[in-house]
Amino acid sequence: SPQAAAGPELWADRELRLRICDMGGFSHFAQAVVACRGFLSFLEHGVLTPEMPEQLRIGIEDVDDERYLIGTIDAARELERFAVNRGKVLDLRSIQICLGAVQSLEQALMQFDFRNSEVRRRFDGIKYTVKKLETLAYEVDLAKKRAAAASGAAVDGQTEEPPAKRAKVEGEATAIDIKILQGIKERYDHFDSLREQTYKRSRDVLKNAKNAIFALQRDDFKKADTMLSQCAKDAGSIFKEIIARSPSLRSGAFGAALEELVEALGYRAFRRETRLLGRSDLQEASGLPFSFTLPEYLGGVMDLTGEVGRLAVRSASRGRAACGDVERCLACVDTVYSGLQELPHLPATLGKKMATLKVTLTKIEGILYELALLSKGGLSVRAPAPGADPDWQQGGGKGDGKGGSKGGKGKGGKSVVS
């Protein structure tokens, strides 16, 4: 079992337990075992939904229920293959029983309000399995009648029920354990309400973190500190009331809000102390009662480089005097980029941010190049002070006509080139 493999100390932390199982590929293993057990139970007892073994449970109900539903849907897909093989020998009754079982499962799962998730995508495929089995039942039934007519067998005058309707009567009663699915539905509805609360409350954290960044861009550190303090308070309450009990909800809106909070905290430290905070220092600065995950920290730091890049662009408007500030911005972005390049693996959600990070790095390097042209041997043109030459506005009216762009001998060509 995964509990024995992880050990009691790691297993006691529900969030860490979920991450260990996900990273170890236990989800796919559990789904495959549930599908295999469901298919075997159907062949032996006619029941497609046996109980989930305790060894496959990790103690987080919404995750266990999702794996059970996906495994059961996969078992139904196996019935399609089984029916095709039975169709080779014109075993109409077996095909009808399979059809009835899958139709019953489809009707039961239609009572769920699935969100966009892996379960929803798998459930959408059930209708194609039903259609395939209905087609098989019709074709095999027609083939048997043709064979009977060709052999001269007597055909009674009674009208048979359609295969699909007859299959429902034969398969509905025992193929699906309604009590199991009803319990899963009740837990799923409760989990769905928690998810809605998480989305709504996480938006406040995200909004305050963004406003803190905007305040820092305006050098309003007092307002930024107020916003960040509110972020920590709201995030802590969400974690205590919801995420601690349902850790699978952390990876959605709540995780995105925490990434934004990491970005805001990192930007404040860069503006105030001109340094890039490590994970432990940023954790201490946040004041949160729980720890940032590594993907949350990396995602926030990668987004931070965008704000540092904007700071470099604004600083460059001061001209040569901004070289030092822009160089510090470049050092920050280059440190993040170089550090990420050394990692053996990046989470899938962070890989797409690398291209944007490199664009930011290249842009700051270009800004430094342009500033270098102004400060190290490049050309710069400056006009005389206003009023120093009364003919400046007249364009050299007293010249001999040979002034042009080089000034000629007229007084209008007194631009100073250095």
Side-chain angles (χ1 to χ4, degrees), residues 212-267:
I213 294 174
F214 296 153
L216 290 169
Q217 291 173 346
R218 300 188 299 269
D219 296 330
D220 190 349
F221 292 96
K222 183 177 180 180
K223 182 178 180 180
D225 289 343
T226 302
M227 292 290 182
L228 291 175
S229 177
Q230 186 63 39
C231 283
K233 181 180 177 180
D234 293 342
S237 63
I238 294 173
F239 183 85
K240 180 180 179 181
E241 297 169 14
I242 300 177
I243 305 301
R245 293 182 295 168
S246 301
S248 59
L249 290 174
R250 180 163 184 164
S251 60
F254 187 65
L258 291 180
E259 282 191 21
E260 195 71 24
L261 179 56
V262 169
E263 180 184 357
L265 291 168
Y267 191 53

Side-chain angles (χ1 to χ4, degrees), residues 267-417:
Y267 191 53
R268 181 183 65 173
F270 184 78
R271 293 298 308 274
R272 280 185 170 177
E273 307 168 24
T274 320
R275 70 189 185 102
L276 181 64
L277 291 181
R279 186 179 172 189
S280 58
D281 293 336
L282 192 140
Q283 181 68 50
E284 183 179 355
S286 69
L288 291 174
F290 59 93
S291 300
F292 290 110
T293 63
L294 183 59
E296 289 164 357
Y297 170 74
L298 292 178
V301 169
M302 294 174 78
D303 292 340
L304 167 64
T305 59
E307 296 302 327
V308 174
R310 294 184 185 93
L311 177 62
V313 173
R314 290 198 304 272
S315 299
S317 63
R318 304 200 313 267
R320 301 172 182 176
C323 286
D325 292 338
V326 177
E327 286 174 353
R328 283 188 286 272
C329 292
L330 176 62
C332 174
V333 176
D334 186 56
T335 299
V336 174
Y337 183 76
S338 301
L340 291 172
Q341 291 285 74
E342 295 178 2
L343 294 179
H345 171 71
L346 270 180
T349 55
L350 301 182
K352 59 184 180 182
K353 294 185 178 182
M354 284 297 292
T356 305
L357 199 160
K358 189 172 183 179
V359 169
T360 301
L361 180 64
T362 305
K363 184 180 294 184
I364 299 177
E365 290 173 340
I367 292 173
L368 279 175
Y369 165 73
E370 293 174 358
L371 291 176
L373 292 181
L374 294 177
S375 59
K376 296 180 181 180
L379 295 178
S380 62
V381 180
R382 63 180 185 274
D389 191 335
D391 296 326
W392 175 260
Q393 302 293 336
Q394 299 178 7
K398 297 181 180 181
D400 61 357
K402 299 181 180 180
S405 61
K406 295 184 179 180
K409 297 181 180 179
K411 295 183 179 180
K414 286 191 176 181
S415 62
V416 182
V417 181

Side-chain angles (χ1 to χ4, degrees), residues 192-210:
D192 190 58
S193 66
L194 292 178
R195 176 166 45 190
E196 289 296 326
Q197 294 180 39
T198 303
Y199 285 163
K200 292 178 181 179
R201 297 172 64 177
S202 295
R203 281 196 291 267
D204 294 335
V205 179
L206 183 68
K207 180 180 178 181
N208 285 331
K210 286 185 177 294

